[in-house]
Amino acid sequence: GTRYMDNQLYRLLKYLDPISSDKIIRLANMQVYKIKAGDTLSKITDNDTMYIKLILEANPDLNPNKLKIDQEIILPPPPVRPNDNLNYSNDLIDHIKKYEGNNGQPYLTSYDDGFGNITIGWGHNLGKLAKHKTISLKEANDLLLKDLDKAAAFVRKNISTGLTQGKFDALISLVFNAGSNAVYNTNLFKLIDKGKFISALYV
């Protein structure tokens, strides 16, 4: 009776002991995903390397280079990141407007930024082959917020170290100005991702 139940409980606790509560929650929320034509792990995760790692952990026998149509894989929930609760501040918006505009006002008529990029509003890049255009003040605001949203999403997704509001804003400003592709491969970005903020100052 009681001794048998105690032994069963002991075995259960011993089994659960090395499994963190986070892993238990993940196990409970995993889904089965069926591979479709053109699927890759990068496409499924939107190039999220952290998420790809979780998928490979959940599917230890999976060869990511040989996915087959209708193949079923375990798809865990996306990773929770330390900066998911952060968003850019109003101070950053004011800073961008001050330095990317014309005395704080947006350029409502597009112009060449000197590098062949057709630009409008507060530093919004329309592309090298874009036609010149004119926009309203509201459209300029909408474009700025869209650009900042995109930059913020990139920082949240690719920085695995917790950031302060100031560091978060600074990284968004960097991505906004230089572009995510250019920033991603820099030593600065890699050092910040590892939490080596002092070393990043000397890059």
Side-chain angles (χ1 to χ4, degrees):
T2 303
R3 183 163 187 171
Y4 172 78
M5 292 297 294
D6 286 345
N7 287 337
Q8 290 293 92
L9 179 61
Y10 172 77
R11 280 195 287 269
L12 177 62
L13 291 175
K14 187 176 180 181
Y15 171 74
L16 290 176
D17 179 60
I19 304 179
S20 68
S21 59
D22 178 66
K23 286 184 179 179
I24 293 173
I25 293 172
R26 286 194 173 281
L27 286 170
N29 288 284
M30 285 184 177
Q31 299 177 356
V32 175
Y33 179 83
K34 186 175 288 188
I35 299 297
K36 300 187 293 291
D39 269 349
T40 64
L41 291 189
S42 293
K43 183 178 179 180
I44 293 170
T45 63
D46 193 24
N47 294 314
D48 188 334
T49 54
M50 194 182 300
Y51 196 9
I52 290 174
K53 182 180 179 181
L54 291 177
I55 292 175
L56 292 175
E57 288 177 354
N59 301 270
D61 297 325
L62 179 67
N63 185 336
N65 298 316
K66 294 184 178 180
L67 300 181
K68 299 178 181 178
I69 296 175
D70 291 332
Q71 178 182 2
E72 292 185 342
I73 65 173
I74 299 298
L75 198 63
V80 177
R81 294 177 174 79
N83 302 301
D84 279 350
N85 63 330
L86 286 179
N87 201 4
Y88 50 86
S89 67
N90 289 327
D91 287 340
L92 177 62
I93 295 175
D94 292 341
H95 176 83
I96 296 291
K97 286 184 175 181
K98 179 179 179 181
Y99 290 98
E100 294 291 339
N102 181 18
N103 294 320
Q105 297 301 311
Y107 290 95
L108 299 181
T109 299
S110 58
Y111 62 95
D112 188 313
D113 69 352
F115 298 94
N117 301 302
I118 306 303
T119 308
I120 202 166
W122 284 287
H124 178 74
N125 187 355
L126 294 171
K128 294 183 181 296
L129 302 177
K131 294 181 179 179
H132 284 281
K133 60 186 293 187
T134 299
I135 60 174
S136 67
L137 178 59
K138 180 183 183 306
E139 288 173 318
N141 271 300
D142 290 343
L143 287 174
L144 174 59
L145 295 182
K146 182 179 179 180
D147 287 341
L148 292 178
D149 285 342
K150 184 176 180 180
F154 174 82
V155 172
R156 292 190 200 100
K157 176 180 171 182
N158 291 287
I159 293 294
S160 54
T161 297
L163 301 171
T164 62
Q165 183 65 58
K167 291 184 176 73
F168 188 72
D169 280 351
L171 275 177
I172 292 173
S173 180
L174 179 63
V175 173
F176 174 84
N177 281 281
S180 57
N181 290 336
V183 171
Y184 184 76
N185 292 314
T186 62
N187 288 332
L188 172 68
F189 198 78
K190 293 175 181 177
L191 287 169
I192 292 175
D193 180 44
K194 296 176 181 178
K196 297 181 178 181
F197 301 114
I198 301 300
S199 297
L201 294 174
Y202 298 97
V203 172

PDB file of all heavy atoms in Angstrom, residues 53-71:
ATOM      1  N   LYS A  53      17.313  25.454 -33.460  1.00  0.00           N
ATOM      2  CA  LYS A  53      17.995  24.621 -32.465  1.00  0.00           C
ATOM      3  C   LYS A  53      16.987  23.840 -31.626  1.00  0.00           C
ATOM      4  O   LYS A  53      17.177  22.650 -31.350  1.00  0.00           O
ATOM      5  CB  LYS A  53      18.872  25.494 -31.564  1.00  0.00           C
ATOM      6  CG  LYS A  53      19.657  24.705 -30.530  1.00  0.00           C
ATOM      7  CD  LYS A  53      20.515  25.632 -29.676  1.00  0.00           C
ATOM      8  CE  LYS A  53      21.272  24.839 -28.617  1.00  0.00           C
ATOM      9  NZ  LYS A  53      22.092  25.739 -27.752  1.00  0.00           N
ATOM     10  N   LEU A  54      15.884  24.488 -31.236  1.00  0.00           N
ATOM     11  CA  LEU A  54      14.850  23.811 -30.452  1.00  0.00           C
ATOM     12  C   LEU A  54      14.191  22.696 -31.263  1.00  0.00           C
ATOM     13  O   LEU A  54      13.880  21.625 -30.724  1.00  0.00           O
ATOM     14  CB  LEU A  54      13.791  24.818 -29.989  1.00  0.00           C
ATOM     15  CG  LEU A  54      14.213  25.835 -28.938  1.00  0.00           C
ATOM     16  CD1 LEU A  54      13.073  26.808 -28.655  1.00  0.00           C
ATOM     17  CD2 LEU A  54      14.644  25.142 -27.651  1.00  0.00           C
ATOM     18  N   ILE A  55      13.962  22.947 -32.545  1.00  0.00           N
ATOM     19  CA  ILE A  55      13.351  21.924 -33.408  1.00  0.00           C
ATOM     20  C   ILE A  55      14.269  20.715 -33.534  1.00  0.00           C
ATOM     21  O   ILE A  55      13.822  19.560 -33.456  1.00  0.00           O
ATOM     22  CB  ILE A  55      13.033  22.503 -34.801  1.00  0.00           C
ATOM     23  CG1 ILE A  55      11.907  23.540 -34.694  1.00  0.00           C
ATOM     24  CG2 ILE A  55      12.620  21.387 -35.766  1.00  0.00           C
ATOM     25  CD1 ILE A  55      11.607  24.252 -35.994  1.00  0.00           C
ATOM     26  N   LEU A  56      15.563  20.960 -33.703  1.00  0.00           N
ATOM     27  CA  LEU A  56      16.516  19.856 -33.826  1.00  0.00           C
ATOM     28  C   LEU A  56      16.622  19.069 -32.514  1.00  0.00           C
ATOM     29  O   LEU A  56      16.795  17.849 -32.522  1.00  0.00           O
ATOM     30  CB  LEU A  56      17.887  20.389 -34.247  1.00  0.00           C
ATOM     31  CG  LEU A  56      17.957  20.967 -35.670  1.00  0.00           C
ATOM     32  CD1 LEU A  56      19.320  21.582 -35.935  1.00  0.00           C
ATOM     33  CD2 LEU A  56      17.634  19.899 -36.702  1.00  0.00           C
ATOM     34  N   GLU A  57      16.500  19.761 -31.377  1.00  0.00           N
ATOM     35  CA  GLU A  57      16.513  19.077 -30.088  1.00  0.00           C
ATOM     36  C   GLU A  57      15.277  18.191 -29.929  1.00  0.00           C
ATOM     37  O   GLU A  57      15.349  17.108 -29.344  1.00  0.00           O
ATOM     38  CB  GLU A  57      16.575  20.096 -28.950  1.00  0.00           C
ATOM     39  CG  GLU A  57      17.922  20.783 -28.802  1.00  0.00           C
ATOM     40  CD  GLU A  57      17.914  21.837 -27.708  1.00  0.00           C
ATOM     41  OE1 GLU A  57      16.822  22.100 -27.146  1.00  0.00           O
ATOM     42  OE2 GLU A  57      18.980  22.405 -27.405  1.00  0.00           O
ATOM     43  N   ALA A  58      14.138  18.667 -30.453  1.00  0.00           N
ATOM     44  CA  ALA A  58      12.891  17.901 -30.352  1.00  0.00           C
ATOM     45  C   ALA A  58      12.843  16.758 -31.361  1.00  0.00           C
ATOM     46  O   ALA A  58      12.043  15.831 -31.212  1.00  0.00           O
ATOM     47  CB  ALA A  58      11.694  18.827 -30.560  1.00  0.00           C
ATOM     48  N   ASN A  59      13.692  16.832 -32.404  1.00  0.00           N
ATOM     49  CA  ASN A  59      13.730  15.808 -33.450  1.00  0.00           C
ATOM     50  C   ASN A  59      15.172  15.351 -33.652  1.00  0.00           C
ATOM     51  O   ASN A  59      15.807  15.691 -34.659  1.00  0.00           O
ATOM     52  CB  ASN A  59      13.170  16.367 -34.767  1.00  0.00           C
ATOM     53  CG  ASN A  59      11.740  16.846 -34.641  1.00  0.00           C
ATOM     54  OD1 ASN A  59      10.794  16.100 -34.837  1.00  0.00           O
ATOM     55  ND2 ASN A  59      11.576  18.128 -34.310  1.00  0.00           N
ATOM     56  N   PRO A  60      15.731  14.590 -32.710  1.00  0.00           N
ATOM     57  CA  PRO A  60      17.169  14.245 -32.757  1.00  0.00           C
ATOM     58  C   PRO A  60      17.593  13.472 -33.998  1.00  0.00           C
ATOM     59  O   PRO A  60      18.770  13.507 -34.366  1.00  0.00           O
ATOM     60  CB  PRO A  60      17.363  13.410 -31.475  1.00  0.00           C
ATOM     61  CG  PRO A  60      15.997  12.940 -31.095  1.00  0.00           C
ATOM     62  CD  PRO A  60      15.059  14.019 -31.535  1.00  0.00           C
ATOM     63  N   ASP A  61      16.667  12.778 -34.653  1.00  0.00           N
ATOM     64  CA  ASP A  61      17.026  12.008 -35.848  1.00  0.00           C
ATOM     65  C   ASP A  61      16.766  12.775 -37.147  1.00  0.00           C
ATOM     66  O   ASP A  61      16.936  12.224 -38.241  1.00  0.00           O
ATOM     67  CB  ASP A  61      16.234  10.689 -35.880  1.00  0.00           C
ATOM     68  CG  ASP A  61      16.566   9.789 -34.691  1.00  0.00           C
ATOM     69  OD1 ASP A  61      17.742   9.802 -34.272  1.00  0.00           O
ATOM     70  OD2 ASP A  61      15.661   9.102 -34.188  1.00  0.00           O
ATOM     71  N   LEU A  62      16.362  14.023 -37.030  1.00  0.00           N
ATOM     72  CA  LEU A  62      16.005  14.806 -38.212  1.00  0.00           C
ATOM     73  C   LEU A  62      17.251  15.304 -38.943  1.00  0.00           C
ATOM     74  O   LEU A  62      18.153  15.872 -38.331  1.00  0.00           O
ATOM     75  CB  LEU A  62      15.137  15.996 -37.801  1.00  0.00           C
ATOM     76  CG  LEU A  62      14.690  16.937 -38.921  1.00  0.00           C
ATOM     77  CD1 LEU A  62      13.732  16.219 -39.863  1.00  0.00           C
ATOM     78  CD2 LEU A  62      14.016  18.180 -38.337  1.00  0.00           C
ATOM     79  N   ASN A  63      17.277  15.105 -40.266  1.00  0.00           N
ATOM     80  CA  ASN A  63      18.332  15.677 -41.100  1.00  0.00           C
ATOM     81  C   ASN A  63      17.755  16.931 -41.758  1.00  0.00           C
ATOM     82  O   ASN A  63      16.929  16.827 -42.661  1.00  0.00           O
ATOM     83  CB  ASN A  63      18.777  14.677 -42.166  1.00  0.00           C
ATOM     84  CG  ASN A  63      19.962  15.198 -42.981  1.00  0.00           C
ATOM     85  OD1 ASN A  63      20.183  16.398 -43.079  1.00  0.00           O
ATOM     86  ND2 ASN A  63      20.721  14.283 -43.569  1.00  0.00           N
ATOM     87  N   PRO A  64      18.170  18.119 -41.313  1.00  0.00           N
ATOM     88  CA  PRO A  64      17.570  19.356 -41.835  1.00  0.00           C
ATOM     89  C   PRO A  64      17.817  19.582 -43.312  1.00  0.00           C
ATOM     90  O   PRO A  64      17.120  20.385 -43.942  1.00  0.00           O
ATOM     91  CB  PRO A  64      18.242  20.451 -40.992  1.00  0.00           C
ATOM     92  CG  PRO A  64      19.522  19.838 -40.533  1.00  0.00           C
ATOM     93  CD  PRO A  64      19.228  18.381 -40.337  1.00  0.00           C
ATOM     94  N   ASN A  65      18.786  18.875 -43.879  1.00  0.00           N
ATOM     95  CA  ASN A  65      19.104  19.038 -45.302  1.00  0.00           C
ATOM     96  C   ASN A  65      18.351  18.047 -46.193  1.00  0.00           C
ATOM     97  O   ASN A  65      18.495  18.082 -47.417  1.00  0.00           O
ATOM     98  CB  ASN A  65      20.615  18.875 -45.520  1.00  0.00           C
ATOM     99  CG  ASN A  65      21.410  19.928 -44.777  1.00  0.00           C
ATOM    100  OD1 ASN A  65      21.065  21.100 -44.789  1.00  0.00           O
ATOM    101  ND2 ASN A  65      22.467  19.491 -44.105  1.00  0.00           N
ATOM    102  N   LYS A  66      17.573  17.171 -45.575  1.00  0.00           N
ATOM    103  CA  LYS A  66      16.842  16.158 -46.348  1.00  0.00           C
ATOM    104  C   LYS A  66      15.391  16.060 -45.882  1.00  0.00           C
ATOM    105  O   LYS A  66      14.907  14.974 -45.547  1.00  0.00           O
ATOM    106  CB  LYS A  66      17.538  14.795 -46.235  1.00  0.00           C
ATOM    107  CG  LYS A  66      18.918  14.762 -46.876  1.00  0.00           C
ATOM    108  CD  LYS A  66      19.521  13.362 -46.809  1.00  0.00           C
ATOM    109  CE  LYS A  66      20.887  13.319 -47.494  1.00  0.00           C
ATOM    110  NZ  LYS A  66      21.487  11.959 -47.449  1.00  0.00           N
ATOM    111  N   LEU A  67      14.704  17.191 -45.859  1.00  0.00           N
ATOM    112  CA  LEU A  67      13.295  17.189 -45.497  1.00  0.00           C
ATOM    113  C   LEU A  67      12.475  16.632 -46.662  1.00  0.00           C
ATOM    114  O   LEU A  67      12.751  16.928 -47.823  1.00  0.00           O
ATOM    115  CB  LEU A  67      12.828  18.607 -45.165  1.00  0.00           C
ATOM    116  CG  LEU A  67      13.535  19.309 -43.993  1.00  0.00           C
ATOM    117  CD1 LEU A  67      12.938  20.689 -43.778  1.00  0.00           C
ATOM    118  CD2 LEU A  67      13.464  18.483 -42.722  1.00  0.00           C
ATOM    119  N   LYS A  68      11.467  15.839 -46.349  1.00  0.00           N
ATOM    120  CA  LYS A  68      10.636  15.218 -47.374  1.00  0.00           C
ATOM    121  C   LYS A  68       9.189  15.699 -47.245  1.00  0.00           C
ATOM    122  O   LYS A  68       8.702  15.911 -46.129  1.00  0.00           O
ATOM    123  CB  LYS A  68      10.680  13.696 -47.233  1.00  0.00           C
ATOM    124  CG  LYS A  68      12.073  13.113 -47.398  1.00  0.00           C
ATOM    125  CD  LYS A  68      12.053  11.612 -47.189  1.00  0.00           C
ATOM    126  CE  LYS A  68      13.460  11.021 -47.318  1.00  0.00           C
ATOM    127  NZ  LYS A  68      13.464   9.548 -47.076  1.00  0.00           N
ATOM    128  N   ILE A  69       8.532  15.882 -48.372  1.00  0.00           N
ATOM    129  CA  ILE A  69       7.127  16.299 -48.380  1.00  0.00           C
ATOM    130  C   ILE A  69       6.302  15.271 -47.605  1.00  0.00           C
ATOM    131  O   ILE A  69       6.488  14.059 -47.757  1.00  0.00           O
ATOM    132  CB  ILE A  69       6.604  16.445 -49.820  1.00  0.00           C
ATOM    133  CG1 ILE A  69       7.369  17.570 -50.545  1.00  0.00           C
ATOM    134  CG2 ILE A  69       5.110  16.735 -49.835  1.00  0.00           C
ATOM    135  CD1 ILE A  69       7.008  17.715 -52.000  1.00  0.00           C
ATOM    136  N   ASP A  70       5.407  15.783 -46.737  1.00  0.00           N
ATOM    137  CA  ASP A  70       4.523  14.982 -45.876  1.00  0.00           C
ATOM    138  C   ASP A  70       5.253  14.350 -44.692  1.00  0.00           C
ATOM    139  O   ASP A  70       4.640  13.629 -43.896  1.00  0.00           O
ATOM    140  CB  ASP A  70       3.782  13.893 -46.662  1.00  0.00           C
ATOM    141  CG  ASP A  70       2.748  14.477 -47.625  1.00  0.00           C
ATOM    142  OD1 ASP A  70       2.230  15.574 -47.338  1.00  0.00           O
ATOM    143  OD2 ASP A  70       2.470  13.844 -48.645  1.00  0.00           O
ATOM    144  N   GLN A  71       6.543  14.599 -44.568  1.00  0.00           N
ATOM    145  CA  GLN A  71       7.270  14.135 -43.390  1.00  0.00           C
ATOM    146  C   GLN A  71       6.750  14.888 -42.165  1.00  0.00           C
ATOM    147  O   GLN A  71       6.530  16.091 -42.201  1.00  0.00           O
ATOM    148  CB  GLN A  71       8.766  14.399 -43.566  1.00  0.00           C
ATOM    149  CG  GLN A  71       9.625  13.994 -42.377  1.00  0.00           C
ATOM    150  CD  GLN A  71      11.088  14.333 -42.597  1.00  0.00           C
ATOM    151  OE1 GLN A  71      11.461  14.910 -43.630  1.00  0.00           O
ATOM    152  NE2 GLN A  71      11.927  13.967 -41.651  1.00  0.00           N
TER     153      GLN A  71
END
